[in-house]
Amino acid sequence: MDFVNIDRHLRDEDKRLAELANLAILDTPGEAEFEELTALAASALGMESAAISLVDHDRQWFKSRVNLPMSQTPRDIAFCHHTVEQREVMVVMDATRDSRFKDNPLVVAENGIRFYAGAPLILDNGYCVGSLCVIDSLP
């Protein structure tokens, strides 16, 4: 990536974060609609866990989650960060065999992430603020 593209990416990231802040949703209490959507995703796809993840500057925060013990993780280890960056569905069949994730603390932990699929959450104005993801400890 050259300096012009890096500068544009940083400006776009600042705008993306501003749009996320404008939603005024970070750190808000759970809501039935989000909980139902997350539970449906886990159930319909036969996954252990699911979440609606919003990717902030230094963290991913879960607006809704099923069978995940944490309410947020650092952004630098978040699978959903990659989904937001790519702005397309991302599937990791076995995280232990993926060079991007094999050493990730969320993978190497006992019963860690093996399978991940995330769909980007893109606002009407085109900014991607997070993802709806499903996770399993089996590849």
Side-chain angles (χ1 to χ4, degrees):
M1 190 179 287
D2 59 35
F3 289 114
V4 173
N5 286 331
I6 291 171
D7 184 52
R8 191 177 97 234
H9 176 75
L10 293 174
R11 283 194 316 268
D12 288 347
E13 177 65 0
D14 288 343
K15 290 177 184 175
R16 188 192 74 76
L17 291 169
E19 290 298 325
L20 176 58
N22 286 341
L23 292 175
I25 195 171
L26 289 171
D27 301 310
T28 58
E31 298 176 52
E33 294 85 357
F34 290 99
E35 302 294 334
E36 290 168 7
L37 179 60
T38 307
L40 178 62
S43 175
L45 297 171
M47 296 286 132
E48 287 177 2
S49 306
I52 293 175
S53 168
L54 300 170
V55 178
D56 201 1
H57 186 269
D58 294 320
R59 67 182 175 141
Q60 79 171 332
W61 175 75
F62 301 121
K63 173 61 179 169
S64 172
R65 65 189 194 276
V66 171
N67 200 28
L68 288 175
M70 68 291 247
S71 62
Q72 63 184 11
T73 70
R75 181 175 176 171
D76 63 344
I77 64 170
F79 283 61
C80 294
H81 161 72
H82 295 270
T83 301
V84 168
E85 289 282 316
Q86 294 176 13
R87 298 175 45 86
E88 58 188 38
V89 171
M90 183 176 88
V91 177
V92 178
M93 299 301 287
D94 185 347
T96 64
R97 297 176 181 261
D98 188 305
S99 61
R100 297 169 295 178
F101 303 110
K102 65 182 176 114
D103 297 320
N104 185 306
L106 300 171
V107 174
V108 299
E110 186 175 340
N111 296 316
I113 295 172
R114 296 297 175 269
F115 177 84
Y116 167 92
L121 300 176
I122 300 175
L123 303 176
D124 288 342
N125 61 16
Y127 289 102
C128 183
V129 296
S131 74
L132 170 61
C133 64
V134 293
I135 302 163
D136 208 300
S137 62
L138 298 174

